[in-house]
Amino acid sequence: MIEKPVLIKEDGTRHDGRKSEELRPIRMEVGVLKNADGSALVEFGRTKVIAAVYGPREIHPKHMTLPDRALIRCRYHMAPFSTSERKSPAPSRREVELSKVIREALEATVFTDLYPRTTIDVFIEVLQADGGTRTTGLTAASLALADAGIPMRDLVAAVAVGKVNGVLVLDIDELEDEYGEADMPVAMMPSLGKIVLLQLNGVLTPEEFKKALELAKKGINEIYRLQKEALTKKYLSYPEE
Ligand code: ADP
């Protein structure tokens, strides 16, 4: 049997040295792909995700057309080289589910009624997985939508809170996810204070749930600040005509 790793050390820090309420080192870059209308690369520690947005554009197949709004299509996919053992490139049940919940979260923020009879295609490709790929993917997708100039009510920022050795911790990685007691990804439209995704794998008491949500909100506010910084950086460095 594989021994459970020490997730919370004697001094209260986590296996990677972080404090319980600390995010992993985050990097965000907008406009990383030439051929997409909008794109973003987001890293949370070793988790690396790229998002590409195309549209609003004509729909194929035509029968999917919605007369009163744009159709958002979303594909979340893990590259075969993103995990330690090669992952089959075929979409798994997990990837189909994640594509759906991510699409629903994005539908809450995009003003789809501005672009009837069109589609907005969102591609999320996980380049390297170390936990939190759905939240990193969603954070990257909303940056890519903003980069594509698509009007939104707010950005979407997301992070997962976990419970390991009875302690609530922010932004869990794969090891904490695998050996911890609970994993709760949360996505919000931060300035509107609206939750657009909330899942819970594991068990939390009602009290822990409230605390976990507060912790997620704290992380989300910081992620939101970094998103705005990444968008500002791209437009400030735009070459002059
Ligand atoms: P999330 O990535 O949003 O946390 P999960 O909780 O389902 O989603 O997955 C946790 C982590 O487990 C992933 O980030 C990844 O590092 C790892 N993982 C998920 N699916 C696979 C897979 N098919 N092969 C190897 N590792 C995987």
Side-chain angles (χ1 to χ4, degrees):
M1 205 181 107
I2 304 168
E3 216 175 295
K4 187 176 163 177
V6 178
L7 295 177
I8 304 284
K9 292 183 253 178
E10 270 178 23
D11 63 359
T13 60
R14 294 152 72 177
H15 76 97
D16 59 358
R18 276 187 291 158
K19 297 192 197 88
S20 61
E21 305 202 348
E22 198 175 332
L23 292 162
R24 288 177 278 186
I26 297 175
R27 196 172 86 85
M28 296 184 188
E29 196 179 337
V30 170
V32 292
L33 299 173
K34 179 174 83 63
N35 294 337
D37 294 318
S39 59
L41 175 70
V42 176
E43 296 176 19
F44 274 60
R46 285 192 290 257
T47 290
K48 259 185 216 216
V49 180
I50 202 160
V53 165
Y54 292 83
R57 64 181 178 180
E58 215 177 303
I59 299 191
H60 296 287
K62 281 257 179 291
H63 68 82
M64 292 180 84
T65 304
L66 299 174
D68 57 340
R69 64 196 150 95
L71 173 74
I72 300 183
R73 293 188 288 203
C74 178
R75 185 183 93 140
Y76 161 99
H77 184 249
M78 287 174 104
F81 53 82
S82 64
T83 51
S84 47
E85 267 186 43
R86 179 184 178 275
K87 188 208 146 277
S88 158
S92 61
R93 283 176 65 107
R94 175 180 170 275
E95 285 166 304
V96 173
E97 179 216 316
L98 293 192
S99 300
K100 177 182 181 285
V101 293
I102 292 171
R103 171 175 54 75
E104 287 170 348
L106 295 174
E107 275 170 353
T109 187
V110 174
F111 287 103
T112 51
D113 50 339
L114 294 179
Y115 304 103
R117 313 184 66 80
T118 67
T119 181
I120 297 168
D121 290 317
V122 180
F123 296 92
I124 294 171
E125 193 69 20
V126 178
L127 304 177
Q128 188 164 277
D130 188 28
T133 61
R134 80 193 65 194
T135 48
T136 308
L138 201 37
T139 303
S142 89
L143 275 180
L145 284 164
D147 183 39
I150 293 172
M152 288 185 284
R153 294 174 176 85
D154 198 354
L155 286 167
V156 174
V159 75
V161 172
K163 183 174 147 188
V164 294
N165 289 12
V167 181
L168 292 175
V169 294
L170 183 60
D171 187 19
I172 55 168
D173 65 11
E174 186 176 316
L175 196 77
E176 292 173 324
D177 187 0
E178 194 177 341
Y179 293 98
E181 297 100 73
D183 164 24
M184 187 172 98
V186 182
M188 291 184 70
M189 298 196 279
S191 62
L192 298 177
K194 289 204 169 143
I195 295 171
V196 290
L197 176 144
L198 195 151
Q199 298 178 293
L200 174 59
N201 193 1
V203 178
L204 294 177
T205 64
E207 210 39 56
E208 282 171 342
F209 174 77
K210 275 189 213 148
K211 280 192 186 145
L213 197 55
E214 279 315 306
L215 188 53
K217 280 185 188 166
K218 228 174 115 180
I220 281 169
N221 285 335
E222 173 61 9
I223 295 161
Y224 186 48
R225 191 186 66 75
L226 294 171
Q227 283 178 308
K228 287 188 285 187
E229 208 176 271
L231 283 166
T232 314
K233 196 170 159 205
K234 176 180 169 184
Y235 290 99
L236 284 182
S237 62
Y238 226 61
E240 283 178 25
E241 293 284 317

